Amino acid sequence: MSHIILAGLSKKYSERRKKIRDAGEQLQAQSFQVLKDIDLEFENGEMVCILGPSGCGKSTLLRIIAGFDQATSGSVLIDGKQIQGPSEDHIFVYQHSALLPWMTVSENVGLGLRSIREEKQREEKIQEYIDMVELNGFESRYPYELSGGMQRRAELARALAVDPKTLFMDEPFTGLDFLTHMRMREEVVMMHLYTEKSVLFVTHDIDDALVMGDRIVILGGRPATVLLSRKLTYPHPRKITSEPELVELRREIFFMLGVPDAV
Amino acid sequence: MKILSRSFILPLLTFCGAIVIWELTICFSGWKTQVFPDPLTVVTSIGQLIANGTLVKHTIASLFRVTAGFYLAIFLGIPLGMVLGRNTFLLCALNPLIQFMRPISPLAWIPIAMLWFGIGEPPAVFLIFLSSFFPLVVSTTLAVSSINPTYFQVAANFNLTRWEVISKIIVPAMLPEVITALRITLGIAWLVVVAAEMIAVDSGLGYLILDSRNALRMDYVMAGMVVIGLIGLALDMAMKKLGKAEAVAWGTFSQ
């Protein structure tokens, strides 16, 4: 659980382009702004779904909050403290599997449990998380021997095992088939209800955001600004196609993202 | 089982075919046995050399030199490659020098090696070291620099120490490519040992060949060649086995 405040966050990339002038070639430094004045506040234990068109800077924002990237200006406060790079309190789950391919499932899950000195205790803990994502029987398999969905679950187990305050998930359902996607979505919602950890979830899937989020944030424009930040207080499981308010919100979001006729 | 027998029988047939062609060439060329020994003579010569102990002595001497030079190259080359693979500043500084030194054949170093190290083991070991060092540095650098950056972010996320990043990320990630490089480099080292032994030492398979030529014993020359080939084959098979070890098997399947 953590309380996250973003204040006036901006991110610029400097870009070097060669421009041909009459006098010859000259290097000109240009900057390309991705994020502009992002002000957001996420409450303790919230599952925040960040939506936006592709390339709008959702992942950049997530990487900055997780400490992998630095903002050009503005600040990120987590529990009142300025972030100081990546840490075990804020575990990042990647778009493509980031399991270490040379380690078995249990070695991967054990990555964050290295501080437990007692061998037996550590193994019990590893087993607990492997059981949690229902990968029992696959402890000594290597990632390449698992299906896409199982790889994501193993990565989720690895992330949960360190008991982080916040989970950052960058489009973790990319490349999964429809049914596996639905099942993983359900599992992430259950995990969130059970552990009450803060989750920052980047997605481009509007329905994912509506089903899962305690809060929906929509980024858009170039440079990206916050178009919407709304708290959703509907209980799970949600019926996004029959609950009138959710139907209305869904239509609104489709409109906001420029595809009004898709609903 | 079927695959295993196929991978054994097919090469065996190829070897038999090569021996038949060898025999036929002798029949039709009309050369004398002293000039072009036939397979049977070579086999009997190998038998003689084994019986009087020279072959074992020379083989051990050659293997010792290759081992010494090769291990030296591994212990210096792989760590250097790891550093260069992670440090772009050093890579930028050292890479041109390495690429400059690499194409100079180890054989070109022979005069200098003899001048520096005299006659005996050191120049031969030095030449083998040179032949393996540069290819190992280059392949290790490439293997380390092409590690997926996500893995280093995972390492930072889980607070891995510097030592853990080396032992849990860099070494296992580079291993499949480095083992392939070792396999190729060992072949080069074995190639160079014979040349090195022709100049500076009085033992080893290279020396056996040179000495037999001076004595006009072409059957011993060819016996030496056959043994070199057989040991080369054995070394390659051993390295291939290493490449199939569990620790590096993931490299074949992932990506």
Side-chain angles (χ1 to χ4, degrees), chain A residues 87-88 90 92 94 102 114, chain B residues 153 157-158 164 168 172 250:
Chain A
S87 91
E88 283 188 321
H90 319 292
F92 207 96
Y94 291 85
W102 48 86
R114 290 164 295 132
Chain B
Q153 289 178 5
N157 215 170
F158 286 92
E164 283 173 322
K168 288 188 190 288
W250 64 270

Side-chain angles (χ1 to χ4, degrees), chain B residues 113-134:
Chain B
M114 284 174 73
L115 207 61
W116 286 353
F117 300 107
I119 304 282
E121 297 296 333
V125 171
F126 176 69
L127 290 177
I128 292 159
F129 163 76
L130 272 184
S131 73
S132 336
F133 178 72
F134 293 111

Side-chain angles (χ1 to χ4, degrees), chain A residues 3-262:
Chain A
H3 181 223
I4 301 171
I5 300 174
L6 313 180
L9 201 75
S10 295
K11 176 71 183 172
K12 276 182 193 163
Y13 285 109
S14 56
E15 232 183 344
R16 274 189 178 166
R17 272 206 193 129
K18 269 186 184 158
K19 287 218 167 159
I20 298 160
R21 297 255 172 100
D22 302 302
E25 288 186 359
Q26 203 181 354
L27 276 175
Q28 232 193 17
Q30 269 199 339
S31 67
F32 171 71
Q33 185 156 22
V34 190
L35 300 169
K36 192 183 174 199
D37 297 330
I38 307 284
D39 290 303
L40 284 168
E41 183 170 352
F42 307 141
E43 291 161 31
N44 262 336
E46 246 182 356
M47 159 105 73
V48 181
C49 289
I50 302 170
L51 267 172
S54 89
C56 77
K58 311 182 290 281
S59 295
T60 308
L61 179 67
L62 200 65
R63 291 171 52 80
I64 291 172
I65 307 172
F68 284 116
D69 212 337
Q70 281 183 337
T72 317
S73 61
S75 67
V76 180
L77 291 177
I78 298 183
D79 291 330
K81 270 181 277 177
Q82 198 85 29
I83 43 152
Q84 310 271 358
S87 91
E88 283 188 321
D89 283 341
H90 319 292
I91 296 290
F92 207 96
V93 177
Y94 291 85
Q95 191 169 5
H96 303 286
S97 174
L99 292 170
L100 302 177
W102 48 86
M103 290 185 180
T104 61
V105 169
S106 55
E107 284 168 337
N108 263 295
V109 175
L111 207 58
L113 300 170
R114 290 164 295 132
S115 54
I116 304 177
R117 285 273 156 261
E118 181 98 32
E119 184 97 4
K120 199 156 182 279
Q121 212 182 337
R122 189 173 61 226
E123 266 163 29
E124 275 170 15
K125 198 93 179 163
I126 290 173
Q127 197 58 48
E128 184 189 324
Y129 284 96
I130 287 178
D131 291 346
M132 191 191 216
V133 294
E134 289 169 19
L135 277 177
N136 30 332
F138 293 90
E139 294 85 353
S140 52
R141 296 298 181 125
Y142 286 89
Y144 65 83
E145 298 175 296
L146 305 180
S147 71
M150 287 158 95
Q151 289 182 13
R152 306 300 160 93
R153 283 184 352 234
E155 206 179 332
L156 198 59
R158 179 175 80 179
L160 292 173
V162 280
D163 197 19
K165 290 181 179 159
T166 319
L167 274 178
F168 294 89
M169 306 181 97
D170 187 3
E171 300 189 22
F173 301 155
T174 313
L176 296 179
D177 66 273
F178 182 75
L179 285 177
T180 316
H181 180 160
M182 294 298 122
R183 208 165 291 140
M184 280 297 292
R185 186 162 86 181
E186 206 177 289
E187 268 175 52
V188 171
V189 170
M190 293 306 287
M191 178 275 294
H192 177 244
L193 290 175
Y194 176 68
T195 62
E196 300 180 322
K197 291 183 192 308
S198 291
V199 180
L200 264 63
F201 192 100
V202 157
T203 178
H204 54 247
D205 190 317
I206 295 169
D207 290 354
D208 275 357
L210 286 167
V211 168
M212 298 168 69
D214 295 328
R215 174 182 295 277
I216 286 192
V217 171
I218 298 179
L219 296 182
R222 219 171 264 262
T225 50
V226 178
L227 301 180
L228 175 98
S229 170
R230 183 177 298 177
K231 203 168 166 61
L232 305 180
T233 47
Y234 311 94
H236 296 282
R238 288 180 186 157
K239 298 270 180 286
I240 53 164
T241 44
S242 50
E243 182 90 34
E245 282 176 74
L246 280 173
V247 171
E248 181 51 35
L249 179 63
R250 186 162 177 260
R251 199 195 334 265
E252 215 176 293
I253 294 173
F254 270 95
F255 183 76
M256 207 176 271
L257 293 175
V259 278
D261 299 328

Side-chain angles (χ1 to χ4, degrees), chain B residues 4-80:
Chain B
L4 195 79
S5 64
R6 191 178 71 180
S7 69
F8 180 72
I9 288 174
L10 274 182
L12 197 70
L13 285 176
T14 316
F15 271 105
C16 291
I19 291 171
V20 169
I21 292 171
W22 180 0
E23 193 73 62
L24 285 176
T25 322
I26 287 165
C27 283
F28 290 104
S29 68
W31 277 325
K32 288 184 190 149
T33 321
Q34 286 86 339
V35 180
F36 193 178
D38 61 284
L40 197 64
T41 317
V42 171
V43 170
T44 24
S45 305
I46 292 177
Q48 284 168 15
L49 287 171
I50 291 174
N52 66 21
T54 40
L55 192 63
V56 177
K57 188 188 93 186
H58 288 310
T59 307
I60 288 174
S62 289
L63 281 174
F64 167 76
R65 284 182 198 115
V66 168
T67 312
F70 193 58
Y71 271 104
L72 208 58
I74 288 176
F75 286 124
L76 296 175
I78 290 182
L80 179 63

